Amino acid sequence: MAEPQAPVGDQPEPRAGKDMSGSVRIDDSAAEATLCGGLLAWGPSSGGGERRRLELDSEVLGVRVDGRALKVATFESGDEAGAWRSSSSRRPMACGGGRGGGDRRKGEVVVEMESEEAAATWGDAMRDHLALLGRPKRLFIIVNPYGGKRGGRRIFQAEVLPLIEAAVILYTMQETKHRLHAQEIAHSLDLGKYDGIVCVSGDGVLVEVVNGLLQREDWNTAIKMPLGIIPAGTGNGMAQSLLHIAGESFSVSNAVLAIIRGHKRALDVTSVVQGKTRFFSVLMLTWGLAADVDIESEKYRWMGSARLDFYSLIRVVKLRRYNGRVLFVPAPGYGGVGHPAKQITSCKSDGGSTGVQGERSNDGNDETCAYAGPSVDEAGLEWRSLDGPFVSVWVSGVPCASENFMTAPEANVGDGYLDVAIIKDCPWSTVAGLALQMRDGSYVKSPHVEYFKVKALRIEPGMRVGGGGSKGGIIDSDGEVIARGDGSHTGDELEHLMAYGPPIQLTVDQGLATFFSPR
């Protein structure tokens, strides 16, 4: 574990900034500089030349003072690093999926002041302004060295650490050593020492952290701890979703900047329940084609994210269909989907409990103070249903399943609803075309896809069509198998949380978690 790089004590309260101006030297040229409203600007002292600027919120990582030198660590798009903009220029907004803008790079502007006292005064003023933005000062960073192509450690050292240090953020780093280690860390961590928890990993470690926080006795305050995700896994759906929503291109550096800037966004958490067994999800639950690809492609993990494309082709050509039923409480505007359902019984039971991730029970009747999920008056809900066979059922709380697939283009991470995309029974050639359209989300417009929003949803999974009535499928939540009906079981899997066949219900707790977000 890497401990904080400087002692952490009580810090003085930041002061509101004041306008400043003075004579400086930049790049060995005399200039007049101003600091006003979070904007550092300068131009030729003789006047009449082009003025250049830096926005402290979006383009400055941190500030250091070295004698008379004010060293400003910058973070600009790669095509503009070192080429400063005029005060009238504007950068085009980037979009998720690399549709503009581009990656950013760390740079430095050295402003030579007239005296050491002036450098200290300007440095204090800039640091005070940055502090008022709510940026984190102390982070606990969890690195998964095994995810994706096993690049987590390299990504942390080469791409994350230089930016964190330039932003003068203290950190403690710990690598995960085994499955559910991040969950154990989050469950016991002294949260008072940190301003956020950051995962350098794929989505799985992040989900473990959420579940660990919700197992705590102080879960109601623990879950307010801001969480950050830096993509270092196979799918990276959460990182891509947050960047896409903010109109930022997908990259490690943009994800790090989102954490450094300290902007926060409320994120829905979904309770996945069968009897007394409960799992907390922040991304998605899949059954059918999507789950089969996600889990069965693990044998090709050495390919990185390309394994999903490769195995998708195999599974589309050898298409499986599953019997079953999906019941749901539609969001406003979707009351015409499916048909009314009758005799809906509760998914809760008095049976034995395996608890969250197979470790702890958090049902309200157990002797624990952990989070028991949202309170729902099931008697007042009007359920509707869709009957199979289905090719795929995809239930998403975020728009992107990975950096290459947008499965729920209308998903809003904090609206209190889940987006459901169901591919109905159709030929494999049709599914192949839909798979290509998943890159931009346009597949949901197909007549073979039912796309709608729900307040709650229940899956009653059945057996594979043509499987002789003995082969079921896989139910996958956030990359973890929670139920399996195909009879297979790999040696490194824990006993599955839930049984395949009985209903599994999903209910949303709106805005329960807090995430660092680009905007």
Side-chain angles (χ1 to χ4, degrees):
M1 178 186 298
E3 293 298 335
Q5 303 301 293
V8 178
D10 293 333
Q11 301 293 327
E13 289 295 323
R15 302 177 298 274
K18 62 178 181 179
D19 295 351
M20 304 178 68
S21 62
S23 299
V24 302
R25 293 190 68 84
I26 299 179
D27 295 333
D28 293 326
S29 299
E32 288 292 326
T34 59
L35 180 62
C36 177
L39 186 69
L40 175 65
W42 66 92
S45 57
S46 58
E50 182 182 59
R51 287 186 64 80
R52 301 170 182 176
R53 69 177 194 173
L54 279 173
E55 296 174 0
L56 268 63
D57 178 27
S58 60
E59 296 173 313
V60 172
L61 293 170
V63 181
R64 298 177 185 270
V65 177
D66 184 5
R68 293 169 52 193
L70 188 67
K71 298 181 177 180
V72 184
T74 63
F75 199 53
E76 291 201 305
S77 60
D79 57 345
E80 291 172 346
W84 304 104
R85 298 170 289 122
S86 69
S87 58
S88 61
S89 66
R90 292 293 184 269
R91 175 186 305 153
M93 180 63 70
C95 296
R99 291 173 291 169
D103 200 2
R104 291 186 171 98
R105 299 175 186 173
K106 183 170 74 72
E108 184 176 70
V109 175
V110 180
V111 182
E112 186 177 347
M113 311 299 295
E114 291 183 319
S115 66
E116 293 186 3
E117 291 76 11
T121 299
W122 281 64
D124 288 342
M126 294 180 69
R127 283 191 289 260
D128 285 343
H129 180 86
L130 293 175
L132 288 170
L133 297 173
R135 292 189 173 191
K137 298 177 182 177
R138 303 165 296 184
L139 294 173
F140 190 92
I141 303 176
I142 301 174
V143 176
N144 178 12
Y146 307 108
K149 292 185 176 181
R150 299 177 178 267
R153 186 180 293 123
R154 177 195 59 77
I155 289 172
F156 172 71
Q157 291 291 339
E159 300 185 61
V160 179
L161 190 54
L163 300 177
I164 293 293
E165 291 181 335
V168 199
I169 295 176
L170 307 179
Y171 71 93
T172 299
M173 187 276 283
Q174 185 167 352
E175 293 186 356
T176 56
K177 301 185 184 307
H178 52 79
R179 190 170 179 266
L180 302 184
H181 190 194
Q183 181 172 304
E184 297 166 5
I185 293 170
H187 182 258
S188 60
L189 187 64
D190 184 353
L191 300 178
K193 294 181 177 180
Y194 304 100
D195 301 316
I197 300 174
V198 174
C199 301
V200 183
S201 67
D203 296 318
V205 168
L206 177 66
V207 175
E208 287 186 23
V209 169
V210 170
N211 277 271
L213 293 176
L214 290 174
Q215 290 177 16
R216 298 167 61 113
E217 292 185 0
D218 63 344
W219 67 266
N220 55 338
T221 56
I223 196 59
K224 296 176 183 178
M225 170 66 68
L227 306 177
I229 180 71
I230 296 170
T234 299
N236 303 311
M238 181 61 76
Q240 171 67 309
S241 293
L242 292 172
L243 290 167
H244 169 78
I245 290 171
E248 294 282 351
S249 60
F250 179 83
S251 71
V252 169
S253 59
N254 281 348
V256 178
L257 179 61
I259 294 163
I260 291 174
R261 293 177 68 186
H263 297 310
K264 300 172 185 68
R265 177 186 292 269
L267 189 89
D268 297 341
V269 175
T270 300
S271 274
V272 184
V273 178
Q274 185 184 71
K276 286 189 175 182
T277 305
R278 189 182 305 273
F279 175 83
F280 298 110
S281 165
V282 291
L283 284 100
M284 65 195 68
L285 181 140
T286 58
W287 169 45
L289 175 63
D292 292 347
V293 170
D294 187 21
I295 302 305
E296 294 177 357
S297 67
E298 285 285 336
K299 63 177 76 104
Y300 304 108
R301 179 170 282 275
W302 56 270
M303 297 175 66
S305 59
R307 71 177 171 93
L308 300 175
D309 297 319
F310 172 72
Y311 198 72
S312 292
L313 178 61
I314 295 175
R315 281 275 55 89
V316 166
V317 173
K318 298 181 179 180
L319 194 63
R320 300 167 179 167
R321 301 167 179 84
Y322 294 93
N323 293 307
R325 184 167 70 145
V326 175
L327 301 104
F328 55 93
V329 179
Y334 295 92
V337 179
H339 52 271
K342 299 179 180 179
Q343 297 179 339
I344 302 299
T345 58
S346 174
C347 275
K348 295 182 179 179
S349 127
D350 295 327
S353 172
T354 58
V356 177
Q357 285 282 12
E359 289 192 349
R360 289 169 57 95
S361 168
N362 58 1
D363 185 84
N365 296 324
D366 293 322
E367 295 181 0
T368 177
C369 296
Y371 177 60
S375 177
V376 179
D377 180 13
E378 295 193 4
L381 301 179
E382 296 183 3
W383 291 83
R384 300 183 69 82
S385 69
L386 287 168
D387 296 324
F390 306 113
V391 170
S392 180
V393 175
W394 211 313
V395 187
S396 300
V398 297
C400 303
S402 72
E403 56 199 85
N404 298 318
F405 288 95
M406 185 183 298
T407 53
E410 297 178 16
N412 183 330
V413 297
D415 64 355
Y417 300 115
L418 292 167
D419 285 42
V420 183
I422 296 177
I423 301 179
K424 297 175 287 188
D425 192 7
C426 57
W428 75 266
S429 56
T430 300
V431 177
L434 294 175
L436 294 175
Q437 295 175 338
M438 284 184 183
R439 294 189 178 276
D440 61 4
S442 60
Y443 81 106
V444 301
K445 299 177 182 179
S446 168
H448 300 284
V449 177
E450 199 77 65
Y451 183 70
F452 54 101
K453 290 179 178 284
V454 302
K455 295 180 180 179
L457 178 135
R458 184 177 301 179
I459 291 178
E460 296 180 352
M463 294 297 154
R464 189 189 307 173
V465 175
S470 61
K471 290 186 177 181
I474 297 170
I475 298 179
D476 163 22
S477 182
D478 295 352
E480 297 291 334
V481 177
I482 61 172
R484 195 161 199 160
D486 61 357
S488 64
H489 187 279
T490 60
D492 60 348
E493 285 183 0
L494 299 179
E495 181 180 353
H496 301 311
L497 283 175
M498 302 175 186
Y500 186 91
I504 295 175
Q505 182 164 317
L506 289 76
T507 310
V508 185
D509 197 329
Q510 184 175 5
L512 182 64
T514 301
F515 274 65
F516 288 114
S517 174
R519 304 184 194 285

